[in-house]
Amino acid sequence: MSTNSKASILFVDDEKHILESLKRVVRDMDLDVHLANSAEDGLLILGENNIDIVVSDKNMPGMDGSEFLQQVAEKWPETVRIMLTAYTELNDIIKTINSGKIWGYMKKPWDNAELKLNIQQAINYMDVIAERSLLRHTLDQVSAKRKRNFMKFIGQSTAMQFVYSAIENSAPSQASVFVTGPSGAGKELAADAIHKLSTRKDKPLIIINCAAIPQELMESEVFGHVKGAFSGAVANRDGAATLADGGTLFLDELGEMDIALQAKILRFVQTGTFQKVGSSKTEKVDIRFISATNRNPMQAIQEGKLREDLFYRLNVISIQMPALNQRENDGSEIAQYFLNHFSELEGKVFVGLSSDAEKLINHYDWPGNIRQLENTIHSAVVMSEGPLMTDKNIGDQLHLDAKQVYTLVNSAHVAGHPIATPSHSSASSLSSVTQEEGHLPPPQIRSLAEVERAAIEHAIVVCEENVVKAASLLEVSPSTLYRKIQQWQD
């Protein structure tokens, strides 16, 4: 569209009274109207103005309409080109349309209502082109910023793009970060990435797994102890608080820490001061805190597993790590990395994953997330021969029978809505049915409407209810999403 927001139109005809007639017809259409008495004049006007629509007579002295519109198509391809013509020239017009030189035509003499309708349709077409151009530009920007890998992470799913962005934005800050997500989803990798991108990267990252250390030793692990503080304390020992001074302390699985010790951690976070076990001396350190839990924090607070005041003190910035089954096709990319790693480690030769193996990996629900995938690929490398890792190799390590593998490989999958892993009872039932019928079961089919709705709802959730951003990632217009949401609510 022209810069003054009104659509601009150029009429080209060698007869001045026809130009004036055309101008009168569109006077109530709020158009920026230009008139040219020849093709040559029309080219000059086009060179000096932003013209959206050109309407040209076909038969003119000098340069005729066909040649004129051909030049317009070459120099200003986004301009809508319409030709005025007589019915006797219809065959020539059809050829011109098919060659892409013109968008459409109108007969001479014209009907005023038809003329206005054609021009309005051309304006609507221009709006669509502008919207597509904007969407394409937006998608190009999104694609340019889309990361295939990030720090030690592998994967380019939409869910992980938000994680990467959150890590990049939070890393330079001194604010505490609280990472949530299921076990094996990569919370420790997130902490490592935040530390390495922070201003503290030259200082230590100290990790304490609160679920792996006995409760009676936890306070000493965090704060250290002095000689004789308890049985077995034969020497002074620095804890994580001292070791992390100037750097980052990562408290993994914080919800597993003794609730009484969490009160001391709260004071430590608030003041930066602590006392070693058995000591009366107060020490002060400069530490950035990153915490993580695989529990739902609100539920953990209700169950008395996590102090509410400690959570809100540590939860300045929140990052949610998605489960592997919410990461679109990241699973097969991660599996390829593990395949290369364990092939070299075990002295095996695997050139890659079969296409069915990739489908199985991307459709399986992976309750143990990346940790389970890693162990599965490792065992498959050990127990299989190359050169290709197949769906059967992986299915064997997951204890899936041939029918379950078939179902997973041939089933549709929407990120966040994976095919559930068959239980032993369902597997037995499935086996009995197929033995009676003598063939493999058909895959569970979801209707296109269901798949579409699931994809849209997932995108909106991932984009934190931002429909415009969701529309961009889904490569549709926001109005399309709003219309579908309205239909679902009716």
Side-chain angles (χ1 to χ4, degrees):
M1 289 290 184
S2 56
T3 54
N4 63 2
S5 78
K6 295 198 316 185
S8 58
I9 189 167
L10 169 64
F11 291 113
V12 183
D13 197 290
D14 62 306
E15 298 184 46
K16 290 185 178 181
H17 71 279
I18 291 182
L19 291 177
E20 292 301 325
S21 297
L22 291 168
K23 184 177 180 180
R24 282 195 300 272
V25 171
V26 300
R27 62 178 176 267
D28 61 344
M29 292 188 69
D30 194 28
L31 293 168
D32 183 15
V33 180
H34 299 261
L35 305 177
N37 200 225
S38 68
E40 291 79 6
D41 289 345
L43 292 175
L44 290 175
I45 293 173
L46 282 159
E48 296 173 355
N49 299 273
N50 185 12
I51 303 298
D52 297 313
I53 304 166
V54 173
V55 179
S56 174
D57 187 22
K58 183 177 186 298
N59 296 316
M60 296 184 291
M63 183 186 300
D64 67 7
S66 296
E67 184 180 352
F68 166 65
L69 292 178
Q70 181 175 349
Q71 290 199 28
V72 175
E74 293 171 355
K75 296 179 180 179
W76 301 279
E78 293 185 358
T79 299
V80 178
R81 302 169 297 278
I82 300 173
M83 182 174 285
L84 286 173
T85 182
Y87 269 129
T88 55
E89 302 161 328
L90 187 57
N91 290 335
D92 291 339
I93 294 300
I94 296 300
K95 291 180 181 178
T96 309
I97 292 175
N98 291 336
S99 69
K101 295 174 185 175
I102 65 172
W103 177 74
Y105 70 94
M106 290 183 292
K107 63 182 180 180
K108 291 180 69 175
W110 64 83
D111 176 80
N112 287 346
E114 182 183 359
L115 172 63
K116 293 173 70 174
L117 177 62
N118 275 276
I119 292 174
Q120 186 58 56
Q121 288 176 338
I123 294 171
N124 295 341
Y125 174 74
M126 288 295 300
D127 288 339
V128 172
I129 293 298
E131 182 178 347
R132 287 181 178 176
S133 178
L134 178 60
L135 179 57
R136 188 180 302 112
H137 177 68
T138 303
L139 291 174
D140 288 343
Q141 287 185 319
V142 171
S143 298
K145 294 179 181 179
R146 198 174 189 88
K147 297 178 178 67
R148 184 179 181 86
N149 299 310
F150 177 77
M151 302 300 286
K152 293 182 180 179
F153 289 104
I154 298 171
Q156 55 182 325
S157 63
T158 301
M160 290 307 294
Q161 299 303 313
F162 287 99
V163 171
Y164 300 159
S165 178
I167 290 173
E168 284 187 312
N169 291 334
S170 64
S173 167
Q174 300 303 313
S176 298
V177 179
F178 206 101
V179 186
T180 56
S183 295
K187 296 187 292 293
E188 186 173 327
L189 285 183
D192 181 70
I194 292 169
H195 175 73
K196 287 181 177 176
L197 292 173
S198 74
T199 57
R200 298 172 179 264
K201 61 179 181 292
D202 296 327
K203 297 292 184 177
L205 167 65
I206 304 300
I207 300 173
I208 290 186
N209 188 326
C210 302
I213 301 172
Q215 296 294 344
E216 61 271 17
L217 297 179
M218 180 62 73
E219 184 174 358
S220 174
E221 286 293 321
V222 176
F223 300 124
H225 62 257
V226 297
K227 182 179 179 180
F230 52 84
S231 177
V234 296
N236 294 338
R237 182 177 182 273
D238 290 335
T242 302
L243 298 175
D245 190 16
T248 305
L249 178 59
F250 176 43
L251 299 172
D252 195 10
E253 303 301 351
L254 181 63
E256 308 305 318
M257 179 183 287
D258 180 70
I259 198 73
L261 180 56
Q262 288 184 30
K264 294 184 179 181
I265 296 294
L266 174 62
R267 181 177 181 278
F268 176 40
V269 174
Q270 289 174 328
T271 66
T273 62
F274 67 96
Q275 292 178 340
K276 290 181 178 178
V277 177
S279 173
S280 59
K281 178 183 177 182
T282 299
E283 301 182 36
K284 187 173 181 63
V285 290
D286 173 25
I287 288 176
R288 187 196 191 171
F289 292 91
I290 303 176
S291 309
T293 180
N294 63 358
R295 296 176 178 269
N296 180 310
M298 295 298 102
Q299 184 177 344
I301 290 170
Q302 292 175 358
E303 294 174 353
K305 299 289 186 180
L306 179 63
R307 286 182 63 107
E308 185 174 13
D309 48 4
L310 177 59
F311 170 69
Y312 286 117
R313 174 65 66 171
L314 293 172
N315 189 39
V316 179
I317 298 172
S318 178
I319 297 177
Q320 171 69 38
M321 296 299 300
L324 182 55
N325 62 34
Q326 295 176 320
R327 293 179 54 178
E328 298 158 18
N329 296 326
D330 284 354
S332 56
E333 288 191 48
I334 298 170
Q336 183 62 59
Y337 167 80
F338 288 139
L339 182 62
N340 295 338
H341 171 71
F342 290 120
S343 294
E344 182 177 354
L345 181 67
E346 301 295 345
K348 294 290 190 76
V349 178
F350 283 93
V351 297
L353 299 159
S354 71
S355 60
D356 283 350
E358 291 183 351
K359 292 176 184 176
L360 188 152
I361 290 168
N362 290 329
H363 294 176
Y364 187 73
D365 60 359
W366 299 107
N369 293 292
I370 297 171
R371 190 174 296 123
Q372 182 189 11
L373 175 60
E374 178 180 8
N375 292 338
T376 298
I377 298 299
H378 192 176
S379 61
V381 168
V382 172
M383 302 303 293
S384 310
E385 298 298 330
L388 199 63
M389 181 64 71
T390 68
D391 54 322
K392 183 181 184 305
N393 298 148
I394 295 172
D396 287 346
Q397 305 313 310
L398 294 171
H399 306 293
L400 303 176
D401 61 33
K403 303 169 188 64
Q404 293 167 334
V405 170
Y406 175 89
T407 301
L408 287 164
V409 168
N410 292 280
S411 295
H413 173 265
V414 177
H417 301 272
I419 305 303
T421 308
S423 65
H424 291 295
S425 59
S426 63
S428 299
S429 174
L430 178 65
S431 177
S432 63
V433 171
T434 53
Q435 285 175 2
E436 291 176 7
E437 297 182 0
H439 58 78
L440 293 175
Q444 183 180 0
I445 302 298
R446 305 175 71 191
S447 70
L448 287 176
E450 290 176 318
V451 173
E452 179 186 63
R453 180 166 182 172
I456 291 173
E457 290 178 340
H458 174 67
I460 292 174
V461 170
V462 167
C463 295
E464 300 178 344
E465 309 301 322
N466 188 324
V467 174
V468 175
K469 184 183 292 184
S472 173
L473 294 174
L474 291 169
E475 302 185 14
V476 298
S477 69
S479 61
T480 298
L481 293 197
Y482 284 120
R483 186 174 64 255
K484 289 184 178 295
I485 293 169
Q486 184 62 46
Q487 290 173 352
W488 298 334
Q489 293 174 345
D490 290 342

